[in-house]
Amino acid sequence: MSSERTASIKRYTTETKIDLFLDIDGEGRYDVDTGCGFLNHMLELFARHGNFNLNVKCRGDIDVDYHHTTEDTGIALGEAFAKALGDKRGILRYGDIILPMDETLIMVAVDLGGRAYLDFSEVFIPAQKVGDFDTELVKEFMLAFTRTLGANIHIRQLAGENSHHIIEGIFKALSRALAKASTIDERNSGKIPSTKGVI
């Protein structure tokens, strides 16, 4: 399936070198190599559950830690979504889901209205690390992604005890809410989903 809603991002800094490709209207195919196994896993399931085609190659200063790799990947992914969505003509704009994963229950609501805001205040990840990944970096990824996409994203943890489950539930729920929000609404054929005429 070919799509016009694609984007290629190159983000090269002294801390990371990222090449990223996104196709919003994909089949959930992915090729991810960030140098961080847990982040790879989250991005792979993000692509699969949103039916996004996603290629990510990142070479970062992981000898220090995974902070720059995680944050900069979030920046690049947000930029890719913003570029692929273009003027957002015809999209549903809003998407939400309540997603269960074992004992965990996550709610995510998304507005692709152009104003960046993240509410992560009701997320409580009990462990400081999952494997060698610092769990505080989940918020850093989401902040970076939200800012460069220009989206309003609310993430609520309604239940959950296992840190891996909580984080995985967040990435799955985010991808599904984004897939819904970015869906083309045939009833809105070519219109900007705002009375302002621009978002």
Side-chain angles (χ1 to χ4, degrees):
M1 177 180 177
S2 62
S3 169
E4 295 181 0
R5 298 199 300 170
T6 64
S8 294
I9 301 295
K10 286 185 180 293
R11 177 178 172 81
Y12 289 8
T13 74
T14 57
E15 297 166 339
T16 60
K17 290 180 172 56
I18 298 174
D19 291 278
L20 186 148
F21 171 80
L22 171 72
D23 182 349
I24 291 177
D25 303 307
E27 302 86 31
R29 292 186 283 107
Y30 53 81
D31 182 5
V32 178
D33 179 9
T34 66
C36 173
F38 186 76
L39 182 59
N40 290 350
H41 180 41
M42 294 303 105
L43 293 173
E44 289 166 358
L45 60 85
F46 176 88
R48 177 62 54 85
H49 283 267
N51 280 323
F52 310 126
N53 291 346
L54 179 64
N55 295 342
V56 182
K57 180 78 168 181
C58 176
R59 286 294 168 262
D61 55 356
I62 59 175
D63 57 312
V64 177
D65 62 13
Y66 292 128
H67 186 106
H68 297 138
T69 289
T70 303
E71 182 178 35
D72 288 8
T73 300
I75 289 170
L77 186 60
E79 287 177 349
F81 265 95
K83 184 177 177 181
L85 286 168
D87 65 4
K88 303 171 188 171
R89 192 174 300 274
I91 65 169
L92 283 173
R93 176 177 166 176
Y94 298 98
D96 61 85
I97 190 170
I98 296 177
L99 185 139
M101 181 173 177
D102 296 342
E103 89 296 345
T104 295
L105 190 65
I106 302 293
M107 184 209 78
V108 172
V110 172
D111 172 17
L112 296 175
R115 294 188 296 277
Y117 179 81
L118 174 69
D119 186 347
F120 201 79
S121 61
E122 296 299 316
V123 175
F124 306 100
I125 304 172
Q128 292 185 341
K129 285 184 177 288
V130 174
D132 59 355
F133 181 84
D134 294 314
T135 57
E136 67 180 8
L137 296 180
V138 177
K139 183 177 180 181
E140 295 305 316
F141 178 95
M142 295 299 166
L143 280 168
F145 178 76
T146 299
R147 287 171 183 152
T148 53
L149 172 53
N152 185 328
I153 300 176
H154 288 255
I155 300 173
R156 290 278 192 278
Q157 178 186 333
L158 305 179
E161 299 175 354
N162 181 285
S163 297
H164 189 131
H165 292 169
I166 293 166
I167 298 168
E168 185 165 335
I170 288 170
F171 274 85
K172 286 178 177 176
L174 177 63
S175 70
R176 287 182 176 262
L178 281 168
K180 182 178 178 181
S182 60
T183 296
I184 298 297
D185 181 3
E186 297 302 329
R187 298 170 302 167
N188 202 25
S189 180
K191 297 176 187 172
I192 299 291
S194 171
T195 55
K196 295 183 178 71
V198 64
I199 56 176

